[in-house]
Amino acid sequence: MILTPKIVARVVLIGLVGVLLQLCFFSRVELFHVSPDLLPALVVCLGLLGGSMAGAVSGFAIGLFLDCLLVEALGISSLVLLGVGYLAGLFRERFEIHSSLVPALLCMGLTLLAELGFGAVQLLLGVDAPLSVLIARDLLLKSVYAFFLGWPLYLLLRRILRPALVEEPKVTRRRQPRVLGA
Amino acid sequence: MYRKQVRRRRAVLALLIVTSFVLLTLTYQGSNGFQGGVSAVFSPVQSVADRALKPARDLVDWFDETFDAKGENSRLKSQLITARKEAVAAQEALQENAQLRKLVELDSNPPLVYTNYREVTGRVIARSPTVWRSSVTIDLGSGDGVRVDDPVISGAGVVGRISSVGPGSSQVMLLTDHASAVSAKVVPTGVQGVIKPEVGNPEDLILDFIDSTRKIHGGQAVVTAGWRAQGLASHFPPGLPLGEVTSASILEQEANQQVDVRPYADLRNLDIVQVLAGGSRP
């Protein structure tokens, strides 16, 4: 990603809108008793478009902003989301994204990882109540929702950040010439 | 060149991780002025966003509620039958109570135990996204007389208590948060225990520390106990409705029984809440 002041402003705005949308909309609607979590998917898409550093930094910043608005323990969301962003960026740097399914699948897998990460950090800090098996339903449905959110989100962010993206030459397969009579 | 780039990348990553841990440590040491400032700046924006997104939320809720409506209907029908029986019994009890009050010459309208509280009505403007933290942000702050630990109720019952206060917004720790604990009693038996959540299940609370010899059955109401002893007191006034007992099971090899309670308040779809501000402090 080529970072210019304009692009940085766009990424900051994407982060702000994403966190506000999560807190005021996605956290407050439920489908099958589970609320979707947009933020891991947003960080994954930024990591896929910008690489590991862009993913880690945006994950950290988005997590910090989220914790500030919720007046919760600072650092938990930052730590989890920076890991998610870094992994998404690393994937982009190591592998080529051939299929349009890849961003959605990565959003799904890394959202599951993020939710497990939140759980692990919370358990390390101490949970004073018994855990319900319904947590498993919550984790799985959140990652399924991330699959469906990740798809349009990736396309939208790619469009918004297009001027900054380093386009990789498309690998096109040449059709083999057919020999008549063979 | 490539090595330098990799080294710089690793340094940034390490710096971010260390910063996260430092922030976490600082928060647990109790310095959150920065958070309060950011929250104060963005609470009007959150309030506007909340109102703007309400139609879209209602649309999604409509879909979700349509799926649930069938099961809800049969549950409500059976609840209605039980409630009718209880209403008849309650009317008889009220009549008897009035007669007894006359006999012992008590005031016929005893004041409610929480009349020294001022009810401040506010809106929920944001909600925590993970199942591990159960909190909401409301558009009431210190300017409205809200203080930390003030009880928060909805039309149906207790919702939680204020966990932090900013100038224009406050955080409410819901009953379903892992750190929440409310002293409660079952009515009419008066058996007391502590209401705790089951993390991940917003429709179930656990009434703990109940002696296994005390009989508790489904359908009984649970209210706040509101105890006060030796200079300590519950944050909640007595008699606020908490929920209804759904089941009670005696745990093997334990002297306590576990009572499951369904909260009266719909903690997943909160919109308007009331803060009981200005109550006496322990």
Side-chain angles (χ1 to χ4, degrees), chain A residues 19 22-23 27 39 63-74 77, chain B residues 35 38-39 46 126-130 133 135-137 163-164 170-172:
Chain A
V19 173
Q22 177 60 49
L23 295 182
S27 293
L39 296 179
L64 188 64
F65 185 48
L66 177 72
D67 285 337
C68 282
L69 289 191
L70 288 171
V71 199
E72 297 278 359
L74 281 177
S77 305
Chain B
Q35 265 177 308
V38 175
S39 174
Q46 277 178 286
R127 192 187 173 101
S128 171
T130 77
R133 307 174 198 164
S135 67
V136 293
T137 309
S163 58
S164 66
S170 311
Q171 303 297 314
V172 180

Side-chain angles (χ1 to χ4, degrees), chain B residues 155-166:
Chain B
V158 177
V159 163
R161 67 182 168 86
I162 300 288
S163 58
S164 66
V165 182

Side-chain angles (χ1 to χ4, degrees), chain A residues 1-25:
Chain A
M1 193 184 272
I2 304 155
L3 290 175
T4 60
K6 231 177 185 177
I7 292 301
V8 172
R10 279 187 199 185
V11 175
V12 169
L13 202 66
I14 287 167
L16 288 178
V17 172
V19 173
L20 287 175
L21 261 181
Q22 177 60 49
L23 295 182
C24 302
F25 180 72

Side-chain angles (χ1 to χ4, degrees), chain B residues 2-245:
Chain B
Y2 178 72
R3 272 192 178 177
K4 202 178 166 187
Q5 207 178 359
V6 169
R7 226 179 288 154
R8 204 178 63 186
R9 200 179 289 180
R10 281 183 188 161
V12 172
L13 188 67
L15 184 73
L16 291 177
I17 292 171
V18 169
T19 311
S20 298
F21 280 111
V22 169
L23 286 172
L24 201 55
T25 315
L26 285 177
T27 310
Y28 277 89
Q29 283 175 350
S31 51
N32 58 358
F34 172 66
Q35 265 177 308
V38 175
S39 174
V41 169
F42 280 94
S43 67
V45 183
Q46 277 178 286
S47 196
V48 171
D50 172 71
R51 278 164 201 264
L53 292 166
K54 184 149 183 7
R57 276 203 315 268
D58 289 345
L59 183 72
V60 180
D61 283 342
W62 180 80
F63 278 109
D64 188 48
E65 279 161 16
T66 308
F67 281 117
D68 284 347
K70 209 176 169 187
E72 185 87 357
N73 189 27
S74 57
R75 192 172 63 83
L76 289 175
K77 272 182 184 167
S78 65
Q79 269 186 352
L80 183 66
I81 294 165
T82 320
R84 270 189 197 139
K85 285 179 192 166
E86 283 175 358
V88 173
Q91 272 178 345
E92 279 176 24
L94 273 176
Q95 217 171 6
E96 195 181 25
N97 187 27
Q99 284 170 357
L100 289 170
R101 276 182 174 279
K102 262 186 196 169
L103 281 174
V104 292
E105 292 172 346
L106 271 176
D107 183 5
S108 59
N109 288 317
L112 279 174
V113 276
Y114 54 96
T115 43
N116 55 341
Y117 288 86
R118 191 167 52 86
E119 290 169 355
V120 194
T121 307
R123 290 175 67 89
V124 174
I125 54 171
R127 192 187 173 101
S128 171
T130 77
V131 74
W132 300 99
R133 307 174 198 164
S134 199
S135 67
V136 293
T137 309
I138 57 170
D139 63 353
L140 298 171
S142 51
D144 303 289
V146 174
R147 288 186 295 171
V148 173
D149 292 332
D150 279 345
V152 183
I153 57 171
S154 73
V158 177
V159 163
R161 67 182 168 86
I162 300 288
S163 58
S164 66
V165 182
S169 66
S170 311
Q171 303 297 314
V172 180
M173 182 202 282
L174 299 180
L175 289 175
T176 44
D177 190 274
H178 72 90
S180 163
V182 181
S183 60
K185 66 179 178 189
V186 181
V187 285
T189 55
V191 182
Q192 296 208 3
V194 175
I195 282 278
K196 295 186 91 179
E198 194 181 12
V199 177
N201 188 358
E203 288 179 351
D204 190 36
L205 300 170
I206 293 167
L207 185 57
D208 220 349
F209 307 113
I210 297 275
D211 186 355
S212 59
T213 56
R214 309 296 294 266
K215 286 264 164 64
I216 291 170
H217 58 81
Q220 286 182 316
V222 180
V223 298
T224 50
W227 56 270
R228 184 180 287 270
Q230 295 171 344
L232 293 170
S234 167
H235 297 301
F236 295 86
L240 292 178
L242 275 163
E244 183 188 86
V245 174

